[in-house]
Structure formats: C-alpha cells, structure tokens
Amino acid sequence: MIVEMRVYHCAPGRLPALHDRFTGITLDFFRKYGIEPIGFWTTVAGPSNQSLTYLLKWESLAEREQKWNAFQADPEWIRQRNATEAERIIVERIENQFLAPTSYSPLR
C-alpha cells in the first residue's frame, strides 16, 4: 500500500469553495474512478488555515497513475472544475507526497 498526501493551498477566502467542490463534484469522480480517500483535514494551527490536506490509498504507483490520469482527463470533470473557478481560482498551489507505511504502522 502507498498513501498519497495532497495539500491544496487555497487562494484567500476560497477554502469554502474547495469544500463545496469536493462534496458536490470531486468525490463523485473519485468514486467513478475507484480513487479511495482515507481522510480530509483542514489546518487548525500552522502557516495558513486556508489549506486542505487529504490522503489517498493506492495499491501501487502504477494503479495511481492509471486511475489519477483517467480522472484528470475526464472531460466532465474538467468542465465542472473550470466552472467552479470561472470567476477566480480556488487552489493556488498543490503539494503531494507518496508515503509507504513502516512495518510497525497500524495502517498498512
């Protein structure tokens, strides 16, 4: 198992729009493509409270590449994502890391 940690740094004041996009659009596309989220978090204390961190579970990097690329290329996803940013962008910057659990990790 590989866990992908993604951090979306939002434009000022746009975190609520990102939450709306996830709950109203993105999660449906994740289900369509078999993308399995582990959880979602907002930052309580840190450099910015305008970010969303979430984890995705993958069996391999090959699985991730196949499913993520199909999701990103979906014309309906592109249309709906663009519509949510028609007036101004939501996410200014994305960070991601791929994590492998240790032998003593409760989540493996």
Side-chain angles (χ1 to χ4, degrees), residues 21-67:
R21 184 164 73 192
F22 263 95
T23 58
I25 299 170
T26 308
L27 291 176
D28 288 339
F29 283 97
F30 279 10
R31 282 187 284 279
K32 177 180 179 180
Y33 289 100
I35 296 171
E36 186 179 343
I38 295 172
F40 297 84
W41 297 266
T42 55
T43 303
V44 175
S48 170
N49 65 355
Q50 292 296 301
S51 62
L52 174 71
T53 301
Y54 68 99
L55 303 178
L56 299 172
K57 178 182 171 188
W58 305 106
E59 292 305 316
S60 66
L61 288 175
E63 178 204 21
R64 191 269 183 191
E65 182 176 349
Q66 182 269 321
K67 290 180 177 180

Side-chain angles (χ1 to χ4, degrees), residues 14 17-18 21-22 25-26 29 71-91:
R14 297 293 279 159
L18 182 60
R21 184 164 73 192
F22 263 95
I25 299 170
T26 308
F29 283 97
F71 159 60
Q72 289 291 296
D74 186 299
E76 186 59 18
W77 159 247
I78 294 167
R79 186 189 69 72
Q80 290 189 43
R81 182 194 63 216
N82 289 343
T84 65
E85 296 189 332
E87 292 184 24
R88 65 184 173 123
I89 66 166
I90 294 175
V91 177

